[in-house]
Amino acid sequence: MKDRIFKYIQRNFPNLTSDVHLRFELGEPLENGTDERINQVVTRVTTLFEEVFHPEDYIYVYIKDWGINEDIMFGNTTPEYVYELLKDHNIEVENLFEFDEDYDEIAGQTIEIKQEYNVKIVYSQVKSITYKAILEGIGNYEQGREPSIGQSVYFISTEKDLIFHMYDDRGCIIHSNEVTKLIHMYRKYNKWLVDYWRDYFNGIFKMS
């Protein structure tokens, strides 16, 4: 299972990204920490998710886990929560790494840092995945609420060539490899697009 999705990502969505994508606003303009903000976040992200994925669809849940139980800013106080939500599924694990750069002032040169992380993968029908709880957990993370999910979670459909990634309560990104697969989302949920990126999205989708 994991070999198939790794090859698919490398071939179609290197680094889990693509030029053809839409970025949606979830929390603004509501105040951080309020019930109103969380309610709007959950409502919007669930609506978007259910627009692109149907209950009978088979998808991959691709989790990047850096293995940090508690970070300085927010504190991942429930690091096992996402796995509890997926406990009834077969979870395959792979250890991977990324390279980052830092500047060594003493040596006066840029050094390369190897950062290891785990990828944990589930493959199942949408109706069997507790996606609403996962999305709410991601939304809770930077709001200091529990239970929360601090891992990076990607929902991937190889049939539809779509990646759905909610990065936190601020927003989510939907990637595709073809404009035609996202044009209906651009039109139907245009008011939710992140304004900062609107010119970019208009350049891709407006002429379609």
Side-chain angles (χ1 to χ4, degrees):
M1 176 179 70
K2 62 184 180 181
D3 290 338
R4 291 197 305 271
I5 191 60
F6 289 147
K7 290 178 181 177
Y8 172 82
I9 291 170
Q10 183 61 37
R11 184 171 61 251
N12 297 280
F13 298 96
N15 298 316
L16 296 165
T17 63
S18 66
D19 292 334
V20 178
H21 67 276
L22 292 169
R23 186 184 297 254
F24 293 97
E25 184 67 69
L26 300 178
E28 292 294 329
L30 299 176
E31 183 180 354
N32 280 329
T34 62
D35 291 340
E36 290 78 12
R37 182 180 176 94
I38 288 295
N39 289 338
Q40 176 175 290
V41 167
V42 174
T43 298
R44 284 193 180 186
V45 75
T46 302
T47 298
L48 294 168
F49 185 95
E50 293 177 349
E51 186 74 34
V52 296
F53 298 130
H54 301 149
E56 303 298 323
D57 291 346
Y58 278 87
I59 64 172
Y60 291 88
V61 183
Y62 183 105
I63 304 168
K64 292 181 70 174
D65 192 330
W66 296 94
I68 301 173
N69 291 331
E70 186 171 353
D71 63 75
I72 297 173
M73 292 184 66
F74 307 110
N76 192 2
T77 56
T78 55
E80 297 301 316
Y81 177 58
V82 66
Y83 306 119
E84 292 171 8
L85 294 174
L86 297 169
K87 64 182 179 180
D88 294 331
H89 298 274
N90 176 43
I91 302 177
E92 293 193 11
V93 182
E94 183 77 10
N95 183 255
L96 298 177
F97 59 87
E98 291 181 356
F99 287 104
D100 198 3
E101 291 185 348
D102 195 8
Y103 186 75
D104 187 336
E105 294 184 358
I106 297 176
Q109 61 184 17
T110 300
I111 57 175
E112 196 171 55
I113 301 173
K114 181 179 180 180
Q115 298 179 320
E116 294 190 19
Y117 62 94
N118 285 325
V119 170
K120 302 184 180 183
I121 301 169
V122 165
Y123 182 66
S124 181
Q125 281 186 298
V126 170
K127 64 183 179 182
S128 299
I129 298 169
T130 53
Y131 62 87
K132 291 182 181 179
I134 294 174
L135 296 171
E136 184 171 1
I138 296 169
N140 282 342
Y141 182 62
E142 291 196 24
Q143 295 296 305
R145 297 185 174 215
E146 293 185 348
S148 66
I149 295 173
Q151 295 89 345
S152 295
V153 182
Y154 301 81
F155 300 93
I156 305 172
S157 169
T158 58
E159 296 295 324
K160 295 183 175 181
D161 292 317
L162 294 173
I163 296 181
F164 188 103
H165 174 51
M166 177 187 181
Y167 47 91
D168 55 35
D169 64 290
R170 293 171 297 170
C172 69
I173 307 175
I174 307 175
H175 294 276
S176 185
N177 57 3
E178 293 182 14
V179 170
T180 55
K181 295 175 182 178
L182 290 181
I183 187 64
H184 72 289
M185 299 294 291
Y186 168 79
R187 293 169 176 164
K188 188 171 183 178
Y189 299 100
N190 194 276
K191 291 183 178 179
W192 293 356
L193 291 174
V194 175
D195 284 333
Y196 180 82
W197 289 89
R198 190 171 290 277
D199 288 344
Y200 178 80
F201 300 140
N202 289 344
I204 295 177
F205 295 94
K206 209 163 189 178
M207 301 303 293
S208 301

